[in-house]
Amino acid sequence: LRRAPSRVADIGTGTGHLAALFEDTYHHAVVIAVEPVHEMAIQAQEIRLNVRIGTATDTGLRAGQADVIVSSGVVDFVPEDQIPSMVAEFRRVAAPRALVAFNFEPVGTQNPGVGTHQHDETYLREQLEEQGFEVLEVQRGLFLYDNFVKKKDERGARPRVENSIIVARLPEYTQ
């Protein structure tokens, strides 16, 4: 980030570790965690996060509330027909010049995680652009450790999941 964000939304925060990282890194930022699963929201609250119950398509946040929107491990649970609603919600919550970053499993992933949906990068890019975002970067073929899988391999390591990350920005002036 070129400048420290003042308002961060972590959509689908889970246990809140990414939101906590933003709080630790950007001390003056207001970090709001959104989580649909009540049990996970309670875990996030236990580490003193500001948690709200909501989904990727209905966060419950105010319009223009976030300078940065992050979502890790969520898009893989969003069916393709709901992606436009998710991106529209990110757009609604985004302040001018907001950054949006989320990871996803590309179609054809050989080592999938626990998510139920793989998405086409071109489709995600088109949805972001239709909502007025400028796609800044896509990092492909990243391997993340799947923290949801409790089973470890013979070396004691968690399985690695193939992922991509897409980063987009909303222009300063939007309609």
Side-chain angles (χ1 to χ4, degrees), residues 91-92 94 96 130-132 170-175:
R91 168 62 183 90
R92 188 188 68 75
E130 283 182 22
Q131 287 294 329
L170 195 60
E172 187 166 354
Y173 299 103
T174 60
Q175 297 180 5

Side-chain angles (χ1 to χ4, degrees), residues 12-33:
T13 195
T15 57
H17 295 292
L18 183 58
L21 178 64
F22 270 92
E23 280 193 341
D24 291 345
T25 304
Y26 302 104
H27 303 289
H28 299 292
V30 174
V31 178
I32 300 170

Side-chain angles (χ1 to χ4, degrees), residues 7 63-67 69 90-99 170-171:
R7 303 165 297 171
Q65 188 169 352
D67 301 319
I69 299 170
F90 288 2
R91 168 62 183 90
R92 188 188 68 75
V93 172
R97 298 192 51 77
L99 285 176
L170 195 60

Side-chain angles (χ1 to χ4, degrees), residues 13 24 31 66 73 94-96 113 127 129 137 160 167 174:
T13 195
D24 291 345
V31 178
Q127 293 302 310
E129 289 171 350
E137 182 176 8
R160 295 182 339 152
V167 179
T174 60

Side-chain angles (χ1 to χ4, degrees), residues 64-147:
Q65 188 169 352
D67 301 319
V68 173
I69 299 170
V70 293
S71 188
S72 179
V74 172
V75 177
D76 303 334
F77 291 94
V78 179
E80 186 168 323
D81 66 342
Q82 291 182 20
I83 293 292
S85 297
M86 178 195 80
V87 175
E89 180 66 356
F90 288 2
R91 168 62 183 90
R92 188 188 68 75
V93 172
R97 298 192 51 77
L99 285 176
V100 173
F102 59 85
N103 64 323
F104 64 97
E105 284 183 19
V107 171
T109 297
Q110 300 300 311
N111 196 14
V114 297
T116 54
H117 302 282
Q118 293 180 352
H119 295 289
D120 179 68
E121 175 190 320
T122 302
Y123 179 69
L124 293 172
R125 180 186 289 271
E126 288 170 355
Q127 293 302 310
L128 286 162
E129 289 171 350
E130 283 182 22
Q131 287 294 329
F133 288 99
E134 172 192 2
V135 175
L136 302 176
E137 182 176 8
V138 178
Q139 294 182 6
R140 297 171 191 86
L142 302 175
F143 284 93
L144 306 174
Y145 290 102
D146 193 335
N147 293 322

